[in-house]
Amino acid sequence: MKIAPSILSANLMELGRELAMMEEAGAQWVHVDVMDGHFVPNLTFGVPLVRQLAAATALPLDVHLMVGNPLEQLPWYLEAGAYSVTVHVEACAEGELPRAIEAIHEAGAKAAAAIKPATPVGTLAPVLSMLDMVLVMSVEPGFSGQSYIPSSAVKVAHVVELAREQGASPLIEVDGGIGVETAPLVAAQGADVLVCGNAVFAAMDPAQAIAAVGASGDGARRSAMTSL
Ligand code: DX5
Ligand code: ZN
């Protein structure tokens, strides 16, 4: 189980220290929420920050693009050093998603597609076999600190089922309201990567929170596998 702390909730005045904490705590990825104020109401980070993060840490940068024109913007983030780029299916016009995935792969990065809470898993069917990862949003994208939407675990199970039908095996990432209480719900259904904003950075001991969420997810996954 991978934990990807989302720097949206980090202390941005102390980002260097936050990165060191993530590295020492054993976080596997750094999740970077790029928001454009159009696709989602909020406005956050852009290319300069991704470039500086890439120079400052060896941790892979998991760039989550919440922008209305991903095809246009994704080359910038690939060039800036993203390890993986996630594009929302809702932001893509007909035929754009496969082109986006190809562009990400051509740059040597990992390609992921995200679905918002109201978007059916079936929208991923045409591209699932091309994807390295699927991101199931467990809150409406835009803000950290929201409550986990309970139907998200079922969506994770649907992605697992659809992938199995197609003989595909993308990683499954879940983003929004994930902490020690909710990690087991999605981990038991097959989630591989957990994005954590508030659960890590609002904790008294963020490093301990990273370990605790990882352990609760791993535990749930192990029991789900032994009960099969
Ligand atoms: C929400 C972002 C998330 C956010 C998660 O649109 O995509 O990555 O930072 O924050 P928490 O874990 O606090 O819900
Ligand atoms: Zn995110």
Side-chain angles (χ1 to χ4, degrees):
M1 182 116 265
K2 294 186 204 302
I3 303 296
S6 163
I7 56 162
L8 185 55
S9 299
N11 178 349
L12 298 179
M13 295 298 108
E14 299 286 353
L15 202 46
R17 238 184 262 174
E18 300 279 48
L19 277 180
M21 178 281 293
M22 290 182 238
E23 289 167 2
E24 280 158 31
Q28 282 82 0
W29 294 352
V30 176
H31 186 81
V32 186
D33 288 306
V34 175
M35 304 188 189
D36 67 352
H38 293 279
F39 180 72
V40 288
N42 202 1
L43 184 66
T44 57
F45 316 121
V47 175
L49 182 69
V50 171
R51 189 172 290 127
Q52 292 201 24
L53 286 169
T57 181
L59 289 177
L61 302 179
D62 177 35
V63 176
H64 178 189
L65 289 185
M66 285 162 277
V67 303
N69 56 342
L71 258 187
E72 208 173 311
Q73 294 203 25
L74 65 88
W76 312 339
Y77 291 93
L78 291 165
E79 193 270 326
Y83 165 80
S84 62
V85 176
T86 300
V87 173
H88 268 268
V89 300
E90 305 87 359
C92 291
E94 184 75 36
E96 279 186 0
L97 190 52
R99 278 168 55 205
I101 297 167
E102 276 162 18
I104 296 167
H105 282 157
E106 273 163 28
K110 305 286 182 195
I115 49 172
K116 297 206 277 186
T119 304
V121 169
T123 55
L124 295 164
V127 293
L128 199 57
S129 61
M130 302 169 72
L131 290 170
D132 300 296
M133 185 165 79
V134 167
L135 170 51
V136 174
M137 285 302 303
S138 42
V139 298
E140 276 308 323
F143 300 91
S144 58
Q146 303 181 77
S147 299
Y148 168 82
I149 298 172
S151 53
S152 312
V154 177
K155 288 182 86 176
V156 172
H158 282 168
V159 176
V160 170
E161 204 178 291
L162 191 63
R164 196 173 293 145
E165 277 168 25
Q166 295 199 7
S169 49
L171 291 176
I172 302 177
E173 180 175 46
V174 184
D175 183 4
I178 298 297
V180 279
E181 320 260 283
T182 49
L185 307 176
V186 293
Q189 299 303 325
D192 304 288
V193 186
L194 303 177
V195 176
C196 294
N198 260 33
V200 165
F201 294 102
M204 290 287 285
D205 183 344
Q208 192 272 335
I210 290 171
V213 177
S216 71
D218 279 335
R221 220 168 146 161
R222 260 196 303 275
S223 4
M225 280 163 101
T226 48
S227 68
L228 280 179

